[in-house]
Amino acid sequence: MPYILQTYHLTKAIGEKELVSDVNLHVKKGEIYGFLGPNGAGKTTVMKMITNLWKPTDGKVEIFGETLTPQSYEVLKRMGSIIEFPTFYDHMTGYENLKLHTEYMGYYHHGSIENALDMLDLTGAAGKPVKNYSLGMKERLGIARAILCKPELLILDEPTNGLDPAGMKQIRELLKTLCGEYGITILISSHILSEIESIADTIGVINRGRMRKEISMEEIEQMSLAYIELSAQDSRKAAYVLCEKLGITNFKIMEDGQIRIYDSHVSTQELSKELALNDVPVTAFGKKAETLEDYFLKMTTEVESDVKTD
């Protein structure tokens, strides 16, 4: 399947600080791609390079089969975006701000402004100065501006910030409509999996400036997300036994001291026996199922398998 957007070893450094490193991102035509990561993970930095706001230190961006350059004006006309918080001319009305955008883009289609305002439930506020808009209304006006010119690729950086639950649901439904009925490819970033797990076709997980995983939602749903959870009086000693006696490395020590073991071949009987032989009292033990949010959190934190043996 062709990719409408790809990045190759995308890297951005400011001075000696590397913000993102070696990011390879692949967005298929006609899908909603969820770009996930904690705050500060590098999502906005990548999106700024994709939209030509920042120049990469290394690597490249390819959109619609063309390498992005400072002169890629025609490519950018085929995109709509919100990067960080949208800004407007506050003394102008919402309608006037959108009309100015159509003039700037050279996009003259009768009824397009009214249609965008209606889709974002802003028709009643169209004649009001933007300075009188709430935070959520400005966010929705930003999305209206991003979709106004019917882009082929829509880039949205945390678009539900400032919205209440009803507004967030409205945006999710709108994005599904834009993708399903209008064929618009969407790249949307978020730090909350639950916001986009119901709409994304593919997710890319970034943390500490590096891509950790690209995976389809279908693959995630088919994965076995079961794990063994144990509570021990001495979690570090228990971790030592897992590493040194059983050769288990795919586990994580949680903040409350519980240990989650993700190795599928390990049996609970073998674990209990080895922990008992090494004098590690276990207070709770059992198999559990991991949620999609658990999977996301696991991908954005380091597995703690580096245990001291002194």
Side-chain angles (χ1 to χ4, degrees):
M1 182 175 292
Y3 294 115
I4 200 170
L5 165 64
Q6 295 184 82
T7 68
Y8 298 85
H9 309 292
L10 202 60
T11 299
K12 180 65 179 178
I14 297 179
E16 296 183 357
K17 184 177 182 181
E18 202 166 66
L19 303 181
V20 298
S21 178
D22 199 36
V23 173
N24 297 297
L25 184 146
H26 308 82
V27 180
K28 297 174 185 174
K29 184 177 180 179
E31 75 169 351
I32 299 177
Y33 185 106
F35 195 30
L36 298 169
N39 289 326
K43 302 185 300 295
T44 299
T45 297
V46 171
M47 287 183 154
K48 283 182 176 180
M49 289 188 281
I50 290 171
T51 52
N52 236 359
L53 295 174
W54 280 5
K55 182 180 178 181
T57 305
D58 197 9
K60 69 174 183 177
V61 178
E62 189 177 275
I63 304 177
F64 308 123
E66 298 181 24
T67 298
L68 194 66
T69 72
Q71 288 74 44
S72 297
Y73 308 120
E74 293 304 314
V75 168
L76 295 174
K77 284 183 180 180
R78 298 164 67 183
M79 298 168 56
S81 65
I82 297 179
I83 305 297
E84 296 184 315
F85 190 74
T87 57
F88 303 95
Y89 291 102
D90 281 354
H91 65 285
M92 296 171 63
T93 67
Y95 185 94
E96 289 168 339
N97 269 278
L98 295 189
K99 189 172 188 302
L100 184 64
H101 183 68
T102 62
E103 295 283 344
Y104 172 76
M105 296 292 290
Y107 185 85
Y108 306 102
H109 285 251
H110 180 71
S112 60
I113 297 175
E114 290 81 1
N115 184 49
L117 288 166
D118 182 61
M119 291 179 78
L120 274 301
D121 198 23
L122 287 170
T123 301
K128 297 179 181 178
V130 172
K131 65 182 178 182
N132 295 330
Y133 281 26
S134 67
L135 180 66
M137 290 171 68
K138 287 181 179 178
E139 194 72 51
R140 283 187 283 136
L141 184 63
I143 297 174
R145 184 172 63 188
I147 68 173
L148 179 58
C149 301
K150 295 295 186 294
E152 296 171 56
L153 174 62
L154 185 59
I155 311 288
L156 300 175
D157 184 20
E158 302 266 6
T160 57
N161 281 346
L163 300 182
D164 58 21
M168 292 168 65
K169 181 180 179 181
Q170 179 189 23
I171 297 306
R172 287 196 298 268
E173 293 302 316
L174 173 63
L175 296 182
K176 286 194 286 188
T177 299
L178 291 174
C179 184
E181 296 184 15
Y182 294 90
I184 297 175
T185 303
I186 300 171
L187 170 64
I188 172 175
S189 75
S190 179
H191 63 280
I192 304 173
L193 175 61
S194 58
E195 284 188 6
I196 63 174
E197 67 174 302
S198 63
I199 63 170
D201 300 295
T202 303
I203 64 168
V205 181
I206 187 171
N207 191 38
R208 299 183 182 180
R210 292 182 175 272
M211 285 291 286
R212 304 297 180 183
K213 187 79 171 179
E214 277 190 317
I215 187 170
S216 71
M217 290 300 295
E218 184 179 358
E219 286 179 274
I220 291 178
E221 290 168 2
Q222 291 174 353
M223 286 172 58
S224 172
L225 298 178
Y227 61 91
I228 296 172
E229 185 173 83
L230 68 89
S231 298
Q233 292 179 3
D234 188 339
S235 58
R236 293 197 67 81
K237 187 175 180 181
Y240 169 79
V241 172
L242 295 179
C243 280
E244 300 300 322
K245 303 296 183 180
L246 293 169
I248 298 171
T249 58
N250 191 10
F251 68 89
K252 178 174 176 60
I253 303 175
M254 310 303 290
E255 289 183 2
D256 57 5
Q258 290 184 329
I259 300 176
R260 291 185 178 180
I261 302 165
Y262 297 96
D263 278 5
S264 57
H265 70 278
V266 181
S267 70
T268 54
Q269 292 86 354
E270 185 181 7
L271 282 170
S272 343
K273 179 181 177 182
E274 197 62 44
L275 289 168
L277 288 172
N278 286 274
D279 196 27
V280 179
V282 175
T283 55
F285 199 74
K287 287 189 174 181
K288 294 192 175 182
E290 187 177 53
T291 65
L292 291 178
E293 188 170 8
D294 289 331
Y295 177 78
F296 169 51
L297 291 172
K298 184 176 69 171
M299 292 303 302
T300 54
T301 55
E302 294 183 357
V303 176
E304 296 190 25
S305 58
D306 184 13
V307 181
K308 294 182 180 179
T309 59
D310 46 73

